[in-house]
Amino acid sequence: MKKNHLSIIIPCYNECNRLPQYLDTLMITFQKKSNVDFIIVDDGSPKKEFLKLKQNIEHHLSNPKIQLLRYELNLGKGGAIQFGLQIAKGNYVGFVDADGATPAYELQRIWDHIDTHKDIDLIVGSRIPMLGRSVKKSFYRHIANRVFSYYFHKIFKIQMYDPQCGCKIFKKSLYETMKEKITDLRWLWDTQLIVLSYRNQKKIFEFPIDWNEIPDSKFNFLKDSWVVLYSAWKYRNII
């Protein structure tokens, strides 16, 4: 039987400081995993910032497990994920936020789980506070997450604790059947993926992980929250 292969997309914008350290831990964690590669997609950062990022991760770029891509126009997190998926060679694909909030060892735990449970189509990292897990986030982020999860349930009729966690892995064949219907290139790309998967009776699994909030989030709670809530309502009938 052919061994499963995972391609992880890391969308980033102005991440010359946080991403290099995270990439170091990813490379150490996955150094013996020849069936895992990483595609870093710079989402139209100013050229000066991109060149600084490239310089800071130069020591990794000779590694065939890593690709660094860039385009000029800022599209959003979803746009960067889709750009990376166009060249991803894994039969499993996924993404993780560039800030390192999801520890590398947790990404490996998620991959090990889905790699041995072939019936799962989409696995979603979930920041569930529970015994045996360490979830550290600010009060404001926690409230924002709970509000969105409640709204997500009411709008889409899907019971999920944490649809917004920035770590998900799924079968590439799943994405191929749905990519024409995924239209949000910013915050709700993966929300659309979840809803389409659920409404097409695919198997989704929430996986509790350790998670640690990293300062300087690109998400503006005051401005972007309203955009997210409106967009979720706009996509309520997606099938």
Coordinates of all heavy atoms in Angstrom, one line a residue, residues 118-169:
K118 N -8.4 6.1 8.3 CA -8.6 6.5 6.9 C -10.1 6.9 6.6 O -10.4 7.5 5.5 CB -8.3 5.3 6.0 CG -6.9 4.7 6.2 CD -5.8 5.7 5.8 CE -4.4 5.1 5.8 NZ -3.9 4.7 7.1
D119 N -11.0 6.6 7.6 CA -12.4 7.0 7.4 C -12.6 8.5 7.6 O -13.6 9.1 7.2 CB -13.3 6.2 8.3 CG -12.9 6.4 9.8 OD1 -11.7 6.5 10.1 OD2 -13.8 6.4 10.6
I120 N -11.6 9.2 8.2 CA -11.8 10.6 8.5 C -11.4 11.4 7.2 O -10.4 11.3 6.7 CB -10.9 11.1 9.7 CG1 -11.3 10.4 11.0 CG2 -11.0 12.6 9.9 CD1 -10.4 10.7 12.1
D121 N -12.3 12.3 6.9 CA -12.1 13.2 5.7 C -11.5 14.5 6.1 O -10.7 15.1 5.3 CB -13.4 13.4 5.0 CG -14.1 12.2 4.4 OD1 -13.4 11.5 3.5 OD2 -15.2 11.8 4.9
L122 N -11.9 15.0 7.2 CA -11.4 16.3 7.7 C -11.2 16.3 9.2 O -12.1 15.9 9.9 CB -12.4 17.4 7.3 CG -12.3 18.8 8.0 CD1 -11.0 19.5 7.6 CD2 -13.5 19.6 7.6
I123 N -10.0 16.6 9.7 CA -9.8 16.7 11.1 C -9.5 18.1 11.5 O -8.7 18.8 10.8 CB -8.6 15.7 11.5 CG1 -8.5 15.5 13.0 CG2 -7.3 16.1 10.9 CD1 -7.7 14.4 13.4
V124 N -10.1 18.6 12.5 CA -10.1 20.0 13.0 C -9.4 20.1 14.3 O -9.9 19.5 15.3 CB -11.5 20.6 13.0 CG1 -11.5 22.0 13.5 CG2 -12.2 20.4 11.7
G125 N -8.3 20.8 14.4 CA -7.7 21.1 15.8 C -8.7 21.8 16.6 O -9.5 22.7 16.1
S126 N -8.8 21.5 17.9 CA -9.8 22.2 18.7 C -9.2 22.6 20.0 O -8.7 21.8 20.7 CB -11.0 21.2 18.9 OG -12.1 21.9 19.5
R127 N -9.4 23.9 20.4 CA -8.8 24.4 21.6 C -9.8 24.3 22.7 O -10.4 25.2 23.3 CB -8.5 25.9 21.3 CG -7.5 26.1 20.3 CD -7.5 27.6 19.7 NE -8.7 27.9 19.0 CZ -8.9 29.0 18.3 NH1 -7.9 29.9 18.3 NH2 -10.0 29.2 17.7
I128 N -10.0 23.0 23.1 CA -11.0 22.7 24.2 C -10.3 22.6 25.5 O -9.4 21.8 25.7 CB -11.7 21.3 23.9 CG1 -12.4 21.3 22.6 CG2 -12.6 21.0 25.0 CD1 -13.0 20.0 22.2
P129 N -10.6 23.5 26.5 CA -10.0 23.4 27.8 C -10.5 22.1 28.5 O -11.7 21.9 28.7 CB -10.6 24.6 28.6 CG -11.1 25.5 27.5 CD -11.6 24.6 26.4
M130 N -9.5 21.2 28.8 CA -9.9 19.9 29.4 C -8.6 19.4 30.1 O -7.5 19.8 29.8 CB -10.4 19.0 28.3 CG -9.4 18.7 27.2 SD -10.0 17.7 25.8 CE -10.2 16.1 26.6
L131 N -8.9 18.4 30.9 CA -7.7 17.7 31.6 C -6.8 17.1 30.6 O -7.3 16.4 29.6 CB -8.3 16.6 32.6 CG -8.9 17.1 33.9 CD1 -9.5 16.0 34.6 CD2 -7.9 17.8 34.7
G132 N -5.5 17.3 30.8 CA -4.5 16.7 29.9 C -4.2 17.6 28.7 O -3.3 17.3 27.9
R133 N -4.8 18.8 28.6 CA -4.5 19.7 27.5 C -4.2 21.1 28.1 O -4.7 21.4 29.2 CB -5.7 19.8 26.5 CG -6.1 18.5 25.8 CD -5.4 18.4 24.5 NE -4.0 18.3 24.5 CZ -3.3 17.2 24.6 NH1 -3.9 16.1 24.8 NH2 -2.0 17.3 24.6
S134 N -3.4 21.9 27.4 CA -3.0 23.2 27.8 C -3.5 24.2 26.8 O -2.9 24.2 25.7 CB -1.5 23.3 28.0 OG -1.1 24.6 28.3
V135 N -4.5 25.0 27.1 CA -5.0 26.0 26.2 C -4.9 27.4 26.8 O -5.5 27.6 27.9 CB -6.5 25.7 25.8 CG1 -7.0 26.8 24.9 CG2 -6.6 24.4 25.1
K136 N -4.0 28.2 26.3 CA -3.8 29.5 26.9 C -4.2 30.6 25.9 O -3.6 30.8 24.8 CB -2.3 29.7 27.2 CG -1.9 28.6 28.2 CD -0.4 28.8 28.5 CE 0.1 27.7 29.5 NZ 1.6 27.7 29.7
K137 N -5.2 31.4 26.2 CA -5.7 32.5 25.4 C -6.3 33.6 26.2 O -6.8 33.3 27.3 CB -6.6 32.0 24.3 CG -7.8 31.3 24.7 CD -8.6 30.8 23.5 CE -9.8 29.9 23.9 NZ -10.6 29.4 22.8
S138 N -6.3 34.8 25.7 CA -6.8 35.9 26.5 C -8.3 35.8 26.6 O -9.0 35.1 25.9 CB -6.5 37.2 25.7 OG -7.2 37.3 24.5
F139 N -8.8 36.5 27.6 CA -10.2 36.6 27.9 C -11.0 37.0 26.6 O -12.0 36.5 26.3 CB -10.5 37.5 29.1 CG -12.0 37.7 29.3 CD1 -12.8 36.8 29.9 CD2 -12.6 38.9 28.9 CE1 -14.1 37.0 30.2 CE2 -13.9 39.2 29.1 CZ -14.7 38.2 29.8
Y140 N -10.5 38.1 26.0 CA -11.2 38.6 24.8 C -11.2 37.6 23.6 O -12.2 37.5 23.0 CB -10.5 39.9 24.4 CG -10.6 41.0 25.4 CD1 -9.5 41.4 26.2 CD2 -11.8 41.7 25.6 CE1 -9.6 42.3 27.2 CE2 -11.9 42.7 26.6 CZ -10.8 43.0 27.3 OH -10.9 44.0 28.3
R141 N -10.1 36.9 23.4 CA -10.1 35.9 22.4 C -11.1 34.8 22.7 O -11.8 34.3 21.9 CB -8.7 35.4 22.1 CG -8.7 34.3 21.0 CD -7.3 33.8 20.8 NE -6.4 34.7 20.1 CZ -6.3 34.8 18.8 NH1 -7.0 33.9 18.1 NH2 -5.4 35.6 18.3
H142 N -11.1 34.4 24.0 CA -12.0 33.3 24.4 C -13.4 33.7 24.2 O -14.2 32.9 23.6 CB -11.8 33.0 25.9 CG -12.7 31.9 26.4 ND1 -12.6 30.6 26.1 CD2 -13.8 32.0 27.2 CE1 -13.6 29.9 26.7 NE2 -14.3 30.8 27.4
I143 N -13.8 34.9 24.5 CA -15.2 35.3 24.3 C -15.5 35.4 22.8 O -16.6 34.9 22.4 CB -15.4 36.7 25.0 CG1 -15.3 36.6 26.5 CG2 -16.8 37.3 24.6 CD1 -16.3 35.7 27.2
A144 N -14.6 35.9 22.0 CA -14.8 36.0 20.6 C -15.0 34.6 20.0 O -15.9 34.4 19.2 CB -13.6 36.7 19.9
N145 N -14.2 33.7 20.4 CA -14.3 32.3 19.9 C -15.6 31.7 20.3 O -16.2 31.0 19.5 CB -13.1 31.4 20.5 CG -11.8 31.7 19.9 OD1 -10.8 31.4 20.5 ND2 -11.7 32.5 18.8
R146 N -16.0 31.9 21.6 CA -17.3 31.3 22.0 C -18.5 31.9 21.3 O -19.5 31.2 20.9 CB -17.5 31.4 23.5 CG -16.4 30.8 24.4 CD -16.0 29.4 24.0 NE -17.0 28.5 23.7 CZ -17.0 27.7 22.6 NH1 -16.0 27.7 21.8 NH2 -18.0 26.9 22.4
V147 N -18.4 33.2 21.0 CA -19.5 33.9 20.3 C -19.6 33.4 18.9 O -20.7 33.0 18.4 CB -19.3 35.4 20.3 CG1 -20.2 36.1 19.3 CG2 -19.5 36.0 21.7
F148 N -18.5 33.2 18.2 CA -18.5 32.7 16.9 C -19.0 31.3 16.8 O -19.8 30.9 15.9 CB -17.1 32.8 16.2 CG -17.2 32.3 14.8 CD1 -17.6 33.1 13.7 CD2 -16.8 31.0 14.4 CE1 -17.7 32.7 12.4 CE2 -16.8 30.5 13.1 CZ -17.3 31.4 12.1
S149 N -18.6 30.4 17.8 CA -19.0 29.0 17.8 C -20.5 28.9 18.0 O -21.2 28.1 17.3 CB -18.3 28.3 18.9 OG -16.9 28.2 18.7
Y150 N -21.1 29.8 18.8 CA -22.5 29.8 19.0 C -23.2 30.2 17.8 O -24.2 29.6 17.3 CB -22.8 30.7 20.2 CG -24.3 30.9 20.4 CD1 -25.1 30.0 21.1 CD2 -25.0 32.1 19.9 CE1 -26.4 30.2 21.3 CE2 -26.3 32.2 20.1 CZ -27.1 31.3 20.8 OH -28.4 31.4 21.0
Y151 N -22.7 31.3 17.2 CA -23.3 31.8 15.9 C -23.2 30.8 14.8 O -24.1 30.6 14.0 CB -22.5 33.1 15.6 CG -23.1 33.9 14.4 CD1 -24.3 34.5 14.5 CD2 -22.4 34.0 13.2 CE1 -24.8 35.3 13.5 CE2 -22.9 34.7 12.1 CZ -24.1 35.4 12.3 OH -24.6 36.1 11.2
F152 N -22.0 30.1 14.7 CA -21.8 29.1 13.7 C -22.8 28.0 13.9 O -23.4 27.5 12.9 CB -20.4 28.5 13.9 CG -20.0 27.3 13.1 CD1 -19.4 27.6 11.8 CD2 -20.2 26.0 13.5 CE1 -19.0 26.5 11.0 CE2 -19.9 25.0 12.6 CZ -19.3 25.2 11.4
H153 N -23.1 27.6 15.1 CA -24.1 26.5 15.3 C -25.5 27.0 14.9 O -26.2 26.2 14.3 CB -24.1 26.1 16.8 CG -25.2 25.2 17.2 ND1 -25.4 24.0 16.6 CD2 -26.2 25.3 18.1 CE1 -26.4 23.4 17.1 NE2 -27.0 24.2 18.0
K154 N -25.8 28.2 15.2 CA -27.2 28.7 14.9 C -27.3 28.9 13.4 O -28.4 28.7 12.8 CB -27.4 30.1 15.6 CG -27.5 30.0 17.1 CD -28.7 29.1 17.5 CE -28.9 29.0 19.0 NZ -30.1 28.1 19.3
I155 N -26.3 29.4 12.7 CA -26.4 29.7 11.3 C -26.4 28.4 10.5 O -27.2 28.2 9.5 CB -25.3 30.6 10.8 CG1 -25.5 32.0 11.4 CG2 -25.2 30.7 9.3 CD1 -26.6 32.8 10.8
F156 N -25.4 27.5 10.8 CA -25.2 26.3 9.9 C -25.8 25.0 10.5 O -25.7 24.0 9.8 CB -23.7 26.1 9.7 CG -23.0 27.3 9.0 CD1 -22.1 28.1 9.7 CD2 -23.3 27.6 7.7 CE1 -21.5 29.1 9.0 CE2 -22.7 28.7 7.1 CZ -21.8 29.4 7.7
K157 N -26.3 25.1 11.8 CA -26.8 23.9 12.4 C -25.8 22.8 12.5 O -26.1 21.6 12.4 CB -28.1 23.4 11.7 CG -29.1 24.4 11.3 CD -29.6 25.1 12.6 CE -30.6 26.2 12.2 NZ -31.0 27.0 13.4
I158 N -24.6 23.1 12.9 CA -23.5 22.2 13.1 C -22.9 22.4 14.5 O -22.5 23.5 14.8 CB -22.4 22.4 12.0 CG1 -22.9 22.3 10.6 CG2 -21.2 21.4 12.3 CD1 -21.9 22.6 9.5
Q159 N -23.0 21.3 15.3 CA -22.5 21.4 16.6 C -21.0 21.1 16.7 O -20.5 20.0 16.5 CB -23.2 20.3 17.5 CG -22.9 20.5 19.0 CD -23.5 21.8 19.6 OE1 -24.7 22.0 19.5 NE2 -22.6 22.6 20.2
M160 N -20.2 22.2 16.8 CA -18.8 22.1 16.8 C -18.2 23.1 17.8 O -18.6 24.3 17.9 CB -18.2 22.4 15.4 CG -16.7 22.3 15.3 SD -16.0 22.4 13.6 CE -16.4 20.8 13.0
Y161 N -17.3 22.7 18.7 CA -16.8 23.5 19.7 C -15.9 24.7 19.2 O -16.0 25.8 19.6 CB -15.9 22.7 20.7 CG -15.4 23.6 21.9 CD1 -16.2 23.9 23.0 CD2 -14.1 24.1 21.8 CE1 -15.8 24.7 24.0 CE2 -13.7 24.9 22.8 CZ -14.5 25.2 23.9 OH -14.0 26.0 24.9
D162 N -15.0 24.4 18.2 CA -14.0 25.3 17.8 C -13.8 25.3 16.2 O -12.8 24.8 15.8 CB -12.7 25.1 18.5 CG -11.7 26.2 18.3 OD1 -12.1 27.3 17.8 OD2 -10.5 26.0 18.7
P163 N -14.8 25.8 15.4 CA -14.6 25.8 14.0 C -13.5 26.7 13.5 O -13.0 26.5 12.3 CB -16.0 26.2 13.5 CG -16.6 27.0 14.6 CD -16.1 26.3 15.8
Q164 N -13.0 27.6 14.3 CA -12.0 28.6 13.8 C -10.6 28.3 14.1 O -9.7 29.0 13.7 CB -12.4 30.0 14.5 CG -13.5 30.7 13.8 CD -13.5 32.2 14.3 OE1 -13.6 32.4 15.5 NE2 -13.5 33.1 13.4
C165 N -10.3 27.2 14.8 CA -8.9 26.9 15.1 C -8.1 26.8 13.8 O -8.5 26.2 12.8 CB -8.8 25.5 15.8 SG -7.1 25.1 16.3
G166 N -6.9 27.4 13.8 CA -6.1 27.5 12.6 C -5.2 26.3 12.4 O -4.0 26.5 12.1
C167 N -5.7 25.2 12.5 CA -5.0 23.9 12.2 C -6.0 22.9 11.8 O -6.8 22.4 12.6 CB -4.2 23.5 13.4 SG -3.2 22.0 13.1
K168 N -5.9 22.5 10.5 CA -6.8 21.5 9.9 C -6.1 20.7 8.9 O -5.2 21.2 8.2 CB -8.0 22.2 9.3 CG -8.9 23.0 10.3 CD -10.0 23.7 9.6 CE -10.9 24.4 10.6 NZ -10.3 25.6 11.3
I169 N -6.4 19.4 8.8 CA -5.9 18.5 7.8 C -7.0 17.7 7.2 O -8.0 17.4 7.9 CB -4.9 17.5 8.5 CG1 -3.6 18.2 9.0 CG2 -4.5 16.4 7.5 CD1 -2.7 17.3 9.7

